[in-house]
Amino acid sequence: MKKKIFVLDTNVLMHDPSCLYRFEEHDIYIPMVVLEELDNGKKGTSETSRNVRQVARILDGLMHGKDHAQIEKGIPLPTTVNKGTNGNGNGHTGGTPTAPSSGRLFFQTRPSAAALPEMLPGNKPDNNILLAALGLQSQHPSRTITLVSKDINLRIKAAIVGVHTEDYHNDQVLDDLDLLYSGYAKLPDDFWTTHGEKMDSWQDDRGRACYKVSGPKVKEWHVNEFLYLPDEVERGLELTVQALDGDSAKLHVIRDYRAGKTPVWGIHAKNREQNFALNLLLDPDVDFVSLLG
């Protein structure tokens, strides 16, 4: 199987500086305009700026001691131990570089011989990246040229002009994000019928409505998990699991930060998930909150 050539968009390097080590035996190509965009984004204290500076250090280390002829031939890239996957299942790698690889890093060292279609005029960075990918297709007709970008609009334009594209997902630890614990669960429509027969209710010292319920669903719950009944069933009732004791659970109704007079420093939650997050973040009994979005 011939080695592929992956053309990296600026946003991929900004998103994951270690992406240079994640393409196994395949070659990586960085257009000159990408280096220019990285240079423009290196200043500041944001995470993106820090990532850009990290990319610069990695590239500087890879190029150390290399002359122009060696750069033209491609810089050998180290590979890594643990393997991940991109959006289309290709076996890229992730982790810390550990061993030599047959993959090489190439930079654009001369203008592209290809031409953009008339419908993509001008000197826009995205179009220059497309031009570089088209030039590689002409230069290496027997190899697969893939533009890797997190910019959906660039991927659309690339598909229109005949350049194969992929999103970048190699930084995800799990192949299937649906396997992650969501932190909330939808209650069945007959929840009160199946769990409310021996229910106790009261108000705690914070004025929250609390319930102690038992039933078949309790064994599936976790402390601090959110539970909800859909709007059409009971006005969007939302609860959190306060404590578990065998087949019974203590629940309390959470605050609604989506509207009315309950903003957090002037901010309202836009949806159910954001409301769950705000309730956790503002709960003094919860010491650590992990959010994925």
Side-chain angles (χ1 to χ4, degrees):
M1 183 182 70
K2 285 186 177 293
K3 292 194 297 182
K4 300 177 182 179
I5 301 177
F6 289 95
V7 181
L8 300 189
D9 189 5
T10 315
N11 53 49
V12 175
L13 291 159
M14 288 180 166
H15 176 75
D16 179 15
S18 64
C19 66
L20 294 166
Y21 303 124
R22 299 182 185 271
F23 291 85
E24 283 188 339
E25 75 276 11
H26 304 293
D27 294 334
I28 294 175
Y29 184 89
I30 298 181
M32 187 58 67
V33 67
V34 169
L35 296 177
E36 290 290 336
E37 288 192 307
L38 289 173
D39 187 58
N40 293 333
K42 66 185 178 184
K43 295 180 180 179
T45 58
S46 67
E47 181 180 359
T48 299
S49 298
R50 289 192 294 268
N51 285 350
V52 168
R53 293 192 290 271
Q54 178 64 22
V55 170
R57 287 190 289 268
I58 292 173
L59 292 176
D60 183 60
L62 291 170
M63 297 177 69
H64 181 72
K66 305 293 191 302
D67 58 25
H68 179 73
Q70 290 172 305
I71 293 173
E72 283 276 356
K73 291 179 180 178
I75 300 170
L77 287 167
T79 187
T80 51
V81 174
N82 56 302
K83 293 186 177 182
T85 178
N86 69 1
N88 292 329
N90 292 319
H92 300 174
T93 62
T96 304
T98 58
S101 171
S102 58
R104 289 178 175 268
L105 172 63
F106 292 89
F107 294 94
Q108 184 178 11
T109 57
R110 57 178 59 89
S112 175
L116 280 174
E118 292 184 2
M119 58 188 172
L120 291 174
N123 196 34
K124 191 175 180 181
D126 282 0
N127 294 349
N128 287 331
I129 294 172
L130 286 178
L131 185 60
L134 288 170
L136 287 173
Q137 287 186 163
S138 300
Q139 187 179 353
H140 304 281
S142 63
R143 297 179 65 179
T144 300
I145 311 298
T146 299
L147 171 59
V148 184
S149 175
K150 297 192 70 63
D151 183 347
I152 189 171
N153 291 321
L154 177 55
R155 298 202 305 270
I156 291 171
K157 289 197 292 185
I160 291 172
V161 300
V163 174
H164 178 251
T165 67
E166 293 179 10
D167 195 355
Y168 182 79
H169 294 299
N170 291 74
D171 56 325
Q172 293 177 354
V173 178
L174 295 178
D175 291 338
D176 189 352
L177 292 180
D178 292 337
L179 297 176
L180 288 175
Y181 170 61
S182 68
Y184 61 90
K186 180 181 177 181
L187 294 171
D189 294 349
D190 62 350
F191 171 71
W192 292 121
T193 303
T194 56
H195 293 72
E197 184 177 353
K198 299 179 181 179
M199 179 184 70
D200 292 330
S201 62
W202 68 95
Q203 265 196 345
D204 65 8
D205 53 5
R206 299 189 205 173
R208 301 176 300 189
C210 301
Y211 304 96
K212 183 175 182 180
V213 300
S214 58
K217 300 291 290 185
V218 171
K219 63 181 182 295
E220 302 175 9
W221 299 341
H222 305 279
V223 173
N224 292 329
E225 182 177 12
F226 292 98
L227 310 170
Y228 71 93
L229 282 165
D231 298 347
E232 61 271 14
V233 176
E234 193 170 329
R235 296 183 183 178
L237 178 67
E238 295 170 351
L239 310 149
T240 188
V241 180
Q242 189 172 3
L244 294 169
D245 183 12
D247 62 350
S248 65
K250 292 181 180 179
L251 314 175
H252 70 250
V253 177
I254 65 173
R255 295 194 69 179
D256 188 354
Y257 293 103
R258 280 167 289 199
K261 299 180 179 180
T262 56
V264 180
W265 297 299
I267 299 172
H268 286 287
K270 287 187 176 181
N271 52 39
R272 177 180 287 121
E273 290 77 14
Q274 289 188 9
N275 193 53
F276 292 160
L278 283 176
N279 272 272
L280 275 178
L281 292 168
L282 295 171
D283 191 336
D285 295 329
V286 178
D287 297 320
F288 181 84
V289 179
S290 176
L291 302 176
L292 175 67

